C-alpha cells in the first residue's frame, strides 16, 4: 500500500521470531534499503519500479530478532538531504518505535533534532551496507532515529557486526553495544571546538551554552579545544561526496529499470534524456559537480582526499585529549528539508557532516540545548568504535534531561 | 633506415579462474547470453563487489612468473566512462596502486643475443560486457550480453623497450609460455584470451626522444602482432618523410587487408579510488606461499635439461617451452629411452602432428606411457621409424595399445634376411644400369636403391639389415 508518508506499507508485519531481542519492536525503513519484493526506488525516478531481489543484511538481522517491519517511508532523492523525508512523521505518529534512515551528511541527527527525538550515526563500517542503495559509499551509513535510546541500542546490537556480504567493512573488531547500558565511567571531559563555536549566531550560542551547562550538571567537564581546519570539513565533504555520488549514480541508465525516456535518436540520446528526465535539480547539480571534479579538476579531488586524511588525524588527536567532542546538531534559519541548492544543503548540515567525513560515531541528544523553546540539539562525537560509550553518555544525559528543569 | 621504432605493449590476459572477479558467477563468457549473471555483475542497486580469492591468487602467480614485485598494498579504482557495455558507468581497474611493478622477460634478440625487456606494471581489472548489434525488421537494435562483464583480466604494461616487430613477437611468445606454465591463463590470441595493444612511435636513430605514439589494436595472432607493427612503422615513416604530423589516436589492424586504419581518438577517462573494494594488503608469509606454488619455469627447466639429459640447447628449448610437453618429455625419459631420441621424436614428429590437428598433447589420447611403449618397440627393432610414425599418428586418436596397432596394421619390421635378400635381388635385377653406375664408383645411387628396396618391403624393412645386404650384393667378393 502506498500513501503520502509510505512508499510501501507492510500489511503483514509480523516477523519470524517472536522471542528475539527486538521482539515486537516496530521499525520503519527507507525505500533504499532492500526488502525482497518491496519497491526500492531510493526516492528517485531513476529507480522507478525497481523491486528488491533480496533482503539487505540489516533487514535479515532485524527480522530474525523479532522486528515488525512497518514499511518504508518517503525519502529524499537518493538519500541526499532531508527533502520529502517522512521517517520522523511516522515516529511522531506513534506508528513505529525506530526509524532507519541513510546518514550521508547528518540526515538522522538533523531529522531527530527537528522532532525532539534521538538520532545516531554509528561508526563507519560497523553496519553492513549490503542491500543499501547508497550514494556516497565512504561516508554513508544507516542512521537510527527513536524516542527511546534503549531501543536504539538494542537495534544497533542486532544490525552491527561482520557480514560476509559486505567485504568493505574494516576488519578491526566491532563494538559491544551491551556495554552502552553500563554506567558511564567518570570523570569525562567534553571538548568544544572553538572554531565551530565562533561561527554560531548569537541565538545558537545561547542555546548551545544551555546544553553545555546541562552536560556539566551531569558531571562532564567542558574544555575548549582548537581544530584550525574546521572550515575544511564542508568543502572536503562536498568534493569527495559529489565525486562518489557521480560514480554511484553512473549505473542509472533507465535501461534495465527506472524511468526510460521515450525520445532520442540513438542510445546516447536515450541515456542523456533518461538521466536528464530522472534526476531532480538538487541531485543533478550534485552529480554534475562530481563529474566536474572527475573529468576536469581531478587535482582538487586528490587534494580533498589528502585533507580528509588530515582532518581524521586532527580529530583523532583531539580525542586523545578529551573523551568526546560536542557540537550543536542543527543551525537556526537553515531548514534542511527546504534546502534547494547545494549551498543551502551544506549550510544546514554544516555541524553534522564532520562525523561523516571522519567516520566517527555521533549522537544527537534532544532537549538539552534549548533557548526560547528552540532546541538546536547537543551532538556528541567519539572515537571510531567507541559507539557504546557515546550511547552510555546519552543515556546518562537523557535521564538528567527527563528529571531536570527543562522537562 | 634513419628512424628507430619505440614500441610498448599493453597485453590483456583473461585469467582462467572458476568465477568472475567480484562475484560467484561462472567465468564462462561463451555460454548462452546473460546466463552467467547476478546482481553484482549486473550492478543492480544494493550490490557490493567481493574480490575473488582465486582470481587474485592467479593474478599474483602471473605477476611472479614475470618477475614483478608484488606491491605490499594495492587497490581498485573506478575508470569512469559511459558506454552500454559497462553496467555501472565505470570499470573496476587498478590505476593508482597496481598489484605488481618492475618485472621483465628475457628474449632472444635478432642478433641471437639475450635481451631483457622490462615490464612497467601489471594490474587486475574486470572485463566489460559484449555488445551485439542486430536489426529487428528495419530497426537497428543493440543487445548486451553480460556473461563477460566482470570476468577477471590482468593487464601487463611493458616499458617502451621494444624496437622491432621481431622483439614484439618474441616478447609475446615468451610471456605467453611463462603465463601458461603457471596455469593461470590459457593465453590464446585467436580466442581473445590474450589481447595485444601496441603503442608505436618513431624517432631519429640515435636519439632518445619520445614522440607521439599511435595505438594499434585487434591483432589475433602473434604473426599479426609482428605484421601490424611492421605496417605501422612503414606508415609512420612515410608520414614523417612527407612532413605530415603523427597524431595521437588508435588504429585497428585489419587481418584480411593487412593494413591498419584509424578507429577513434584516444580517450582516457578519470580513475577514482573505489570506496567499496577493500585495499589489498599482502603479507610476506602469504607471498612466500605463493612463490612456493610457482612451478619450475621454462628458463630453469631448459638449464636442467641441458645438464641432466645432455640435450643440445635447441632441443632443451623445444622440450621446455610448453609445460605440458615438457612434463610429457620427462615422463618418457624416466622409462629409460635415450633423452635425445625422445626430444628428436617429439620435435620432428609429435609437435608438427599436434600443430596439424590443432590440439594440445592433453587433448589427444597419446599418454607418456603409450609413447614410451612405442619408442621401446623402435629401440628393440620391432618396428622401424617409418612404421613408428604411422603408429604414433594412430595413437593420438585411437584407444588401442601401440602393440595392437602394430599387430593389426602389420607394422612389424621385416628382419628376416631371406625375405630382405629377395627384395634386393629383384631390384638389382630390374636396374642393371644403376648397379653398373655404382660399381663404376657413383656411390650416391646407394640411397636410390635403398629407397626402392624399402618401398618393396612396404616400408617395413629393418633399414640396418637392408643396407648391410645391399652393400654385400653390390660389392661381390672378388
Amino acid at each position: 500500500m502506498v500513501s503520502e508518508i509510505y512508499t510501501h506499507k507492510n500489511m503483514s508485519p509480523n516477523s519470524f521470531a517472536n522471542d528475539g531481542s527486538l521482539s515486537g519492536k516496530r521499525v520503519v525503513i527507507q525505500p533504499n534499503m532492500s526488502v525482497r519484493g518491496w519497491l526500492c526506488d531510493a526516492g528517485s525516478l531513476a529507480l522507478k519500479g525497481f523491486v528488491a531481489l533480496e533482503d539487505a543484511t540489516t533487514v535479515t538481522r532485524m527480522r530474525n530478532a523479532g522486528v515488525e517491519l512497518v514499511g518504508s517511508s518517503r525519502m529524499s532523492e537518493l538519500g541526499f538531504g532531508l527533502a520529502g523525508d517522512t521517517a520522523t512523521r511516522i515516529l511522531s505518529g506513534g506508528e513505529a518505535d525506530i526509524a532507519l534512515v541513510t546518514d550521508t551528511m547528518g540526515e538522522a541527527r538533523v531529522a531527530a533534532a527537528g522532532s525532539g527525538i534521538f538520532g545516531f550515526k554509528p561508526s563507519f563500517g560497523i553496519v553492513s551496507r549490503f542491500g543499501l542503495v547508497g550514494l556516497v559509499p565512504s561516508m554513508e551509513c544507516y542512521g537510527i532515529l527513536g524516542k527511546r535510546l534503549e531501543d536504539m541500542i538494542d537495534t544497533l546490537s542486532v544490525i552491527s557486526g561482520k557480514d560476509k556480504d559486505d567485504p568493505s567493512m574494516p576488519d578491526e573488531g566491532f563494538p559491544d553495544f551491551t556495554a552502552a547500558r553500563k554506567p558511564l565511567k567518570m570523570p569525562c571531559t567534553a571538548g568544544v571546538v572553538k572554531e565551530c563555536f565562533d561561527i554560531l549566531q548569537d541565538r545558537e550560542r545561547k542555546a548551545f551554552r544551555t546544553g553545555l551547562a546541562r552536560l556539566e550538571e551531569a558531571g562532564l567537564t567542558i574544555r575548549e579545544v582548537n581544530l584550525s581546519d574546521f572550515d575544511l570539513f564542508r568543502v572536503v565533504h562536498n568534493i569527495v561526496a559529489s565525486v562518489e555520488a557521480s560514480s554511484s549514480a553512473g549505473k542509472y541508465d533507465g535501461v534495465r529499470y527506472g524511468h526510460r525516456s521515450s525520445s532520442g535518436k540513438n542510445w546516447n540520446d536515450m541515456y542523456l534524456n533518461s538521466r536528464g528526465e530522472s534526476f531532480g535539480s538538487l541531485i543533478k547539480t550534485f552529480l554534475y559537480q562530481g563529474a566536474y571534479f572527475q573529468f576536469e579538476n581531478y587535482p582538487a579531488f586528490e587534494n580533498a582526499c589528502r585533507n580528509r586524511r588530515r582532518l581524521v588525524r586532527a580529530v583523532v588527536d583531539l580525542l586523545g585529549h578529551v573523551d568526546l567532542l560536542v557540537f550543536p546538531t542543527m543551525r537556526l534559519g537553515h531548514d534542511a528539508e527546504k534546502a534547494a541548492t547545494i549551498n543551502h544543503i551544506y549550510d544546514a548540515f554544516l555541524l553534522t557532516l564532520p562525523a561523516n567525513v571522519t567516520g566517527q560515531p555521533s549522537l544527537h541528544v534532544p532537549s538539552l540545548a534549548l533557548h526560547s523553546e528552540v532546541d538546536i540539539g547537543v551532538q556528541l562525537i567519539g572515537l571510531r568504535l567507541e559507539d557504546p560509550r557515546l550511547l552510555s553518555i546519552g543515556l546518562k544525559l537523557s535521564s538528567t534531561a527527563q528529571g531536570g528543569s527543562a522537562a | 633506415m634513419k628512424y628507430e621504432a619505440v614500441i610498448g605493449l599493453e597485453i590483456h590476459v583473461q585469467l582462467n579462474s572458476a568465477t568472475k572477479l567480484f562475484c560467484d558467477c561462472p567465468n564462462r563468457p561463451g555460454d548462452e547470453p546473460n546466463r552467467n549473471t547476478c546482481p553484482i555483475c549486473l550492478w543492480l542497486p544494493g550490490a557490493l563487489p567481493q574480490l575473488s580469492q582465486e582470481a587474485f591468487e592467479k593474478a599474483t602467480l602471473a605477476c611472479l612468473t614475470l618477475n614483478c614485485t608484488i606491491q605490499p598494498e594495492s587497490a581498485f579504482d573506478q575508470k569512469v566512462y559511459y558506454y552500454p557495455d559497462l553496467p555501472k558507468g565505470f570499470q573496476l581497474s587498478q590505476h593508482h596502486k597496481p598489484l605488481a611493478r618492475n618485472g621483465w622477460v628475457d628474449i632472444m634478440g635478432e642478433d641471437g643475443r639475450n635481451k631483457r625487456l622490462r615490464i612497467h606494471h601489471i594490474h587486475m581489472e574486470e572485463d566489460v560486457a559484449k555488445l551485439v548489434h542486430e536489426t529487428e525488421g528495419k530497426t537497428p537494435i543493440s543487445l548486451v550480453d553480460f556473461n563477460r562483464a566482470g570476468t577477471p583480466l590482468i593487464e601487463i604494461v611493458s616499458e617502451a623497450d621494444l624496437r622491432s616487430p621481431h622483439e614484439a613477437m618474441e616478447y609475446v611468445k615468451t610471456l605467453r609460455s611463462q603465463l601458461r606454465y603457471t596455469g593461470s591463463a590459457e593465453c590464446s590470441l585467436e580466442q581473445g584470451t590474450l589481447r595485444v595493444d601496441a603503442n608505436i612511435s618513431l624517432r631519429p636513430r640515435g636519439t632518445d626522444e619520445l614522440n607521439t605514439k599511435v595505438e594499434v589494436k585487434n591483432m589475433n595472432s602473434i604473426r599479426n602482432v609482428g605484421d601490424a607493427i611492421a605496417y605501422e612503422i612503414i606508415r609512420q615513416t612515410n608520414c614523417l618523410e612527407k612532413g605530415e604530423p603523427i597524431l595521437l589516436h588508435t588504429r585497428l589492424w585489419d587481418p584480411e587487408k593487412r593494413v591498419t586504419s584509424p578507429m577513434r581518438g584516444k580517450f582516457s577517462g578519470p580513475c577514482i579510488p573505489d570506496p567499496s573494494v577493500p585495499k589489498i594488503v599482502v603479507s610476506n608469509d602469504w607471498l612466500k606461499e605463493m612463490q612456493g606454488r610457482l612451478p619450475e619455469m621454462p628458463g630453469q627447466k631448459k638449464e636442467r635439461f641441458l645438464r641432466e639429459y645432455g640435450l643440445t640447447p635447441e632441443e632443451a628449448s623445444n622440450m621446455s617451452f610448453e609445460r605440458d610437453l615438457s612434463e610429457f618429455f620427462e615422463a618418457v625419459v624416466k622409462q629409460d629411452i635415450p633423452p635425445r631420441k625422445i626430444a628428436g621424436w617429439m620435435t620432428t614428429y609429435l609437435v608438427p602432428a599436434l600443430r596439424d590437428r590443432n590440439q594440445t598433447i592433453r587433448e589427444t589420447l597419446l599418454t607418456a606411457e603409450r609413447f614410451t611403449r612405442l619408442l621401446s618397440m623402435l629401440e628393440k627393432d620391432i618396428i622401424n621409424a617409418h612404421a613408428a610414425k604411422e603408429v604414433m599418428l594412430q595413437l593420438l586418436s585411437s584407444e588401442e595399445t601401440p602393440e595392437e596397432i602394430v599387430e593389426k596394421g602389420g607394422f612389424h619390421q621385416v628382419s628376416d634376411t631371406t625375405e630382405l635378400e629377395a627384395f634386393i635381388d629383384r631390384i638389382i635385377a630390374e636396374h642393371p644400369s644403376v648397379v653398373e653406375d655404382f660399381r663404376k664408383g657413383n656411390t650416391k645411387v646407394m640411397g636410390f636403391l635403398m629407397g626402392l628396396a624399402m618401398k618393396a618391403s612396404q616400408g617395413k624393412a629393418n633399414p640396418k639389415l637392408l643396407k648391410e645386404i645391399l652393400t654385400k650384393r653390390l660389392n661381390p667378393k672378388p
Side-chain angles (χ1 to χ4, degrees):
Chain A
M1 199 186 89
V2 182
S3 73
E4 202 186 316
I5 54 170
Y6 289 100
T7 50
H8 182 98
K9 182 93 165 60
N10 193 6
M11 303 315 279
S12 52
N14 290 340
S15 78
F16 319 129
N18 291 321
D19 53 351
S21 60
L22 294 176
S23 182
K25 293 290 171 205
R26 297 161 306 157
V27 176
V28 62
I29 60 167
Q30 282 185 329
N32 64 338
M33 301 167 186
S34 304
V35 180
R36 190 192 161 105
W38 288 21
L39 178 71
C40 187
D41 68 0
S44 178
L45 265 182
L47 287 95
K48 187 182 167 191
F50 179 72
V51 172
L53 297 173
E54 49 194 324
D55 287 353
T57 301
T58 46
V59 168
T60 309
R61 289 184 178 175
M62 288 193 300
R63 277 186 162 163
N64 290 341
V67 154
E68 289 179 13
L69 283 182
V70 171
S72 50
S73 62
R74 298 206 166 268
M75 66 182 287
S76 63
E77 184 164 24
L78 302 180
F80 182 61
L82 281 170
D85 196 284
T86 55
T88 49
R89 277 173 66 188
I90 293 167
L91 289 178
S92 314
E95 294 174 42
D97 305 303
I98 292 285
L100 295 186
V101 302
T102 327
D103 195 307
T104 304
M105 56 199 315
E107 286 82 349
R109 287 156 286 160
V110 172
S115 320
I117 56 177
F118 288 96
F120 183 66
K121 178 202 108 60
S123 293
F124 180 79
I126 65 168
V127 179
S128 167
R129 281 169 46 245
F130 176 76
L132 177 72
V133 182
L135 189 68
V136 183
S138 81
M139 296 189 184
E140 73 205 356
C141 59
Y142 282 90
I144 301 187
L145 300 170
K147 284 183 196 158
R148 293 184 67 241
L149 206 44
E150 290 85 348
D151 291 344
M152 293 164 63
I153 293 169
D154 293 344
T155 308
L156 281 161
S157 225
V158 166
I159 63 173
S160 66
K162 187 85 192 148
D163 175 24
K164 63 169 178 48
D165 288 327
D166 182 0
S168 74
M169 300 171 84
D171 231 348
E172 303 164 345
F174 294 91
D176 170 16
F177 282 95
T178 56
R181 303 280 200 128
K182 291 175 188 152
L184 182 67
K185 270 190 211 138
M186 297 301 269
C188 185
T189 314
V192 174
V193 173
K194 180 175 183 298
E195 290 76 4
C196 169
F197 194 79
D198 287 350
I199 61 162
L200 298 178
Q201 307 159 22
D202 216 29
R203 282 192 305 154
E204 292 167 334
R205 250 181 235 179
K206 279 181 182 151
F208 188 47
R209 279 210 180 97
T210 322
L212 294 177
R214 306 299 300 277
L215 260 58
E216 284 181 309
E217 280 168 32
L220 278 77
T221 311
I222 307 292
R223 241 176 70 189
E224 187 179 89
V225 293
N226 287 94
L227 184 54
S228 57
D229 289 331
F230 181 75
D231 57 340
L232 283 180
F233 277 111
R234 174 182 180 140
V235 66
V236 163
H237 189 288
N238 191 345
I239 294 174
V240 175
S242 67
V243 165
E244 289 187 19
S246 173
S247 280
S248 299
K251 60 178 170 286
Y252 303 129
D253 54 18
V255 175
R256 289 163 293 161
Y257 54 84
H259 168 75
R260 182 164 173 173
S261 174
S262 52
S263 64
K265 290 189 292 289
N266 51 38
W267 75 28
N268 210 38
D269 277 4
M270 178 186 76
Y271 284 149
L272 289 173
N273 295 343
S274 298
R275 285 171 67 87
E277 292 164 17
S278 290
F279 297 124
S281 64
L282 181 65
I283 201 76
K284 207 182 277 177
T285 316
F286 198 51
L287 300 182
Y288 194 75
Q289 201 179 65
Y292 164 75
F293 289 113
Q294 289 179 326
F295 288 87
E296 303 290 337
N297 197 354
Y298 191 73
F301 170 71
E302 287 184 300
N303 215 356
C305 291
R306 263 194 298 276
N307 277 316
R308 184 180 186 184
R309 286 192 288 273
R310 206 164 74 161
L311 288 169
V312 172
R313 277 197 301 273
V315 173
V316 169
D317 213 39
L318 279 185
L319 287 168
H321 296 98
V322 293
D323 297 295
L324 62 139
L325 296 175
V326 53
F327 294 89
T329 309
M330 65 171 195
R331 314 259 348 250
L332 293 177
H334 298 282
D335 188 342
E337 287 182 41
K338 294 201 180 97
T341 65
I342 300 294
N343 260 338
H344 287 159
I345 208 164
Y346 274 96
D347 285 340
F349 291 96
L350 184 71
L351 304 176
T352 47
L353 59 85
N356 296 78
V357 170
T358 60
Q360 275 143 343
S362 171
L363 173 69
H364 158 78
V365 186
S367 316
L368 296 179
L370 290 164
H371 179 72
S372 330
E373 303 295 308
V374 182
D375 179 7
I376 65 166
V378 159
Q379 187 197 179
L380 312 175
I381 295 180
L383 274 178
R384 234 179 72 75
L385 305 184
E386 289 195 353
D387 309 49
R389 185 181 165 87
L390 271 195
L391 293 162
S392 160
I393 297 170
L395 278 177
K396 188 175 174 79
L397 291 173
S398 66
S399 66
T400 316
Q402 276 153 17
S405 55
Chain B
M1 194 168 73
K2 63 182 181 181
Y3 296 110
E4 173 182 58
V6 180
I7 305 160
L9 298 184
E10 292 172 7
I11 299 183
H12 285 91
V13 173
Q14 191 182 84
L15 300 175
N16 62 6
S17 60
T19 67
K20 294 186 180 184
L21 188 54
F22 294 110
C23 63
D24 290 337
C25 286
N27 178 16
R28 289 197 308 265
D31 284 1
E32 185 190 327
N34 291 317
R35 194 185 177 86
N36 302 325
T37 59
C38 74
I40 297 177
C41 56
L42 292 176
W43 216 251
L44 291 179
L48 288 172
Q50 304 200 28
L51 182 65
S52 149
Q53 182 70 19
E54 189 204 358
F56 168 53
E57 287 178 0
K58 288 200 156 165
T60 304
L61 287 177
C63 295
L64 289 174
T65 191
L66 299 176
N67 306 296
C68 291
T69 309
I70 302 292
Q71 300 300 291
E73 191 181 303
S74 59
F76 279 88
D77 297 294
Q78 307 171 340
K79 201 168 167 185
V80 181
Y81 67 94
Y82 298 97
Y83 207 65
D85 63 6
L86 263 186
K88 49 187 176 289
F90 57 81
Q91 179 190 20
L92 284 167
S93 177
Q94 297 184 304
H95 177 76
H96 299 292
K97 292 180 162 184
L99 177 60
R101 296 181 194 268
N102 303 328
W104 46 264
V105 292
D106 284 338
I107 61 155
M108 190 76 84
E110 268 155 308
D111 55 4
R113 280 193 297 194
N114 202 53
K115 182 169 177 181
R116 180 156 289 185
L117 300 171
R118 293 171 302 158
I119 292 169
H120 181 268
H121 75 265
I122 301 180
H123 65 256
M124 291 185 276
E125 64 184 28
E126 55 174 349
D127 210 341
V128 298
K130 195 172 113 188
L131 294 178
V132 182
H133 304 288
E134 289 179 355
T135 49
E136 220 171 50
K138 282 183 180 167
T139 319
I141 54 165
S142 300
L143 301 168
V144 192
D145 175 7
F146 287 99
N147 280 351
R148 198 178 63 184
T151 57
L153 300 175
I154 49 170
E155 183 174 344
I156 304 162
V157 181
S158 80
E159 293 281 2
D161 283 353
L162 298 84
R163 295 288 172 269
S164 69
H166 167 88
E167 289 183 5
M169 290 191 292
E170 286 302 307
Y171 172 79
V172 178
K173 272 190 221 163
T174 313
L175 185 137
R176 183 177 65 175
S177 162
Q178 302 266 108
L179 291 175
R180 282 180 176 165
Y181 251 78
T182 63
S184 300
E186 310 306 326
C187 297
S188 159
L189 274 98
E190 292 76 9
Q191 287 167 19
T193 53
L194 187 151
R195 306 194 278 266
V196 181
D197 301 339
N199 287 300
I200 304 152
S201 67
L202 295 188
R203 67 183 173 201
R205 200 170 280 284
T207 65
D208 53 8
E209 292 170 21
L210 285 177
N211 292 319
T212 308
K213 64 189 180 184
V214 173
E215 185 181 33
V216 182
K217 286 176 178 289
N218 198 38
M219 291 82 87
N220 61 358
S221 71
I222 290 195
R223 199 181 130 223
N224 277 335
V225 170
D227 290 353
I229 293 173
Y231 177 88
E232 189 54 26
I233 292 173
I234 293 168
R235 193 193 68 81
Q236 289 190 26
T237 307
N238 291 339
C239 283
L240 291 174
E241 285 180 345
K242 279 188 258 170
E244 291 170 8
I246 305 285
L247 300 174
L248 182 74
H249 69 299
T250 300
R251 299 179 75 85
L252 220 53
W253 168 248
D254 184 333
E256 303 292 316
K257 296 186 190 150
R258 315 208 70 70
V259 296
T260 64
S261 48
M263 184 183 164
R264 54 174 152 84
K266 199 165 160 52
F267 170 80
S268 64
C271 286
I272 316 294
D274 182 87
S276 290
V277 184
K279 65 183 179 192
I280 297 167
V281 180
V282 165
S283 73
N284 281 335
D285 287 348
W286 183 81
L287 208 52
K288 266 185 205 144
E289 191 202 316
M290 294 309 290
Q291 266 150 350
R293 278 204 225 166
L294 274 185
E296 183 184 37
M297 283 294 145
Q300 301 163 305
K301 202 168 251 182
K302 180 183 167 184
E303 293 303 314
R304 187 165 62 77
F305 284 2
L306 284 172
R307 225 171 39 237
E308 288 183 11
Y309 304 134
L311 301 185
T312 65
E314 203 191 339
E315 287 166 344
S317 286
N318 288 338
M319 287 303 98
S320 57
F321 198 69
E322 279 185 40
R323 185 172 172 182
D324 283 352
L325 280 177
S326 73
E327 286 168 0
F328 185 89
F329 166 76
E330 284 214 274
V332 182
V333 166
K334 289 210 176 77
Q335 305 305 316
D336 273 347
I337 311 278
R340 291 203 54 197
K341 180 155 202 170
I342 305 166
W345 261 81
M346 286 177 62
T347 311
T348 320
Y349 301 118
L350 180 56
V351 172
L354 292 173
R355 203 180 301 130
D356 288 346
R357 302 162 65 98
N358 199 15
Q359 277 184 316
T360 65
I361 187 77
R362 269 175 202 269
E363 289 163 346
T364 70
L365 292 172
L366 182 64
T367 59
E369 192 256 333
R370 280 149 65 82
F371 192 59
T372 305
R373 279 156 68 182
L374 173 70
L375 292 186
S376 317
M377 285 195 276
L378 183 67
E379 284 284 283
K380 288 177 192 151
D381 284 339
I382 297 169
I383 50 173
N384 65 19
H386 179 78
K389 191 188 163 192
E390 286 301 312
V391 177
M392 186 200 77
L393 291 177
Q394 293 194 27
L395 283 171
L396 291 171
S397 51
S398 160
E399 287 184 355
E400 290 176 312
T401 64
E403 291 78 7
E404 281 165 355
I405 294 172
V406 167
E407 196 59 45
K408 277 195 186 165
F411 287 115
H412 280 291
Q413 181 162 267
V414 179
S415 299
D416 178 339
T417 37
T418 337
E419 215 174 314
L420 294 179
E421 277 166 359
F423 292 137
I424 287 166
D425 289 344
R426 206 172 76 217
I427 283 157
I428 287 177
E430 283 168 6
H431 299 85
S433 61
V434 182
V435 175
E436 196 56 36
D437 271 5
F438 180 84
R439 291 189 173 144
K440 279 181 187 159
N442 185 1
T443 49
K444 279 182 194 162
V445 297
M446 179 78 175
F448 172 71
L449 293 170
M450 270 290 283
L452 289 174
M454 187 56 96
K455 205 174 162 191
S457 77
Q458 291 172 309
K460 290 185 245 171
N462 177 332
K464 234 166 80 190
L465 278 177
L466 197 67
K467 196 173 178 183
E468 253 171 47
I469 296 166
L470 184 63
T471 313
K472 231 186 265 172
R473 283 285 198 276
L474 289 173
N475 298 302
K477 279 187 185 144

